[in-house]
Amino acid sequence: MTEEKTNVMRLLDQRKIPYTPHSYDVSDGALDGLTAASRLGIPPETCFKTLVTVGASKKNHVFVIPVERELDLKAAAKAVGEKAVEMLKQAQLLPLTGYVHGGCSPIGMKRRFPTVIDASAESLPQITVSAGRIGRQITVSPQALADYVGASFGEVSRS
């Protein structure tokens, strides 16, 4: 049985951007990225999470960082030219992006936001990000992802 494609997959198909789809069991409610990497059998440094922030200017910004790391708010603010950024409140995620917590992808948000992919991705041939649904992921070239979403690369995470 083949699984239904997500909107993220359809968007990549339209642009002929190669990717590998993955799915994993989330019936136990474990939604964190480290669990996703473990269940997919991939190194956590290649599995990335998508974080949405709001800057001092009230503009939103997206950061894509390894699941084993956390967003460095000062570095993130500097990367997008803000005085400061803070994490978007969870209740605001769905109305703003169209995605739920645990299924947020940098691809296919309701609007395009300035996006920064952690610099650690640049040296990797492939990274895995959310396919826009909880329990669904895609593996894609970091440069292809950056080109598609108009992202830059920057040092925005810390251990």
Side-chain angles (χ1 to χ4, degrees):
M1 177 177 122
T2 59
E3 294 199 36
E4 180 185 333
K5 288 192 176 206
T6 66
N7 286 338
V8 167
M9 294 172 194
R10 287 186 201 93
L11 289 168
L12 293 176
D13 287 345
Q14 286 172 4
R15 295 287 280 278
K16 298 187 178 6
I17 297 171
Y19 65 90
T20 304
H22 308 281
S23 61
Y24 59 97
D25 182 29
V26 292
S27 61
D28 61 0
L31 303 179
D32 64 283
L34 286 172
T35 300
S38 174
R39 291 186 179 167
L40 294 173
I42 61 173
E45 64 271 12
T46 67
C47 191
F48 284 62
K49 58 189 170 184
T50 303
L51 304 173
V52 183
T53 64
V54 61
S57 68
K58 303 297 181 208
K59 292 180 181 171
N60 295 102
H61 305 279
V62 176
F63 297 92
V64 182
I65 68 170
V67 296
E68 63 185 353
R69 298 179 64 85
E70 63 182 52
L71 186 63
D72 181 331
L73 294 174
K74 285 185 180 183
K78 185 176 178 184
V80 294
E82 289 274 6
K83 280 185 167 183
V85 296
E86 62 183 43
M87 294 302 299
L88 187 72
K89 290 181 180 20
Q90 191 171 323
Q92 296 172 313
L93 188 64
L94 180 61
L96 183 71
T97 67
Y99 291 123
V100 297
H101 179 73
C104 188
S105 177
I107 301 164
M109 290 188 181
K110 285 182 175 181
R111 291 192 3 236
R112 185 172 268 195
F113 299 105
T115 302
V116 178
I117 301 171
D118 192 71
S120 64
E122 282 187 288
S123 63
L124 299 171
Q126 303 277 310
I127 62 171
T128 300
V129 298
S130 174
R133 257 189 231 148
I134 294 172
R136 303 295 302 276
Q137 301 276 312
I138 57 156
T139 299
V140 64
S141 151
Q143 190 59 60
L145 174 62
D147 292 346
Y148 184 78
V149 300
S152 60
F153 291 94
E155 301 277 348
V156 294
S157 71
R158 63 176 183 228
S159 300

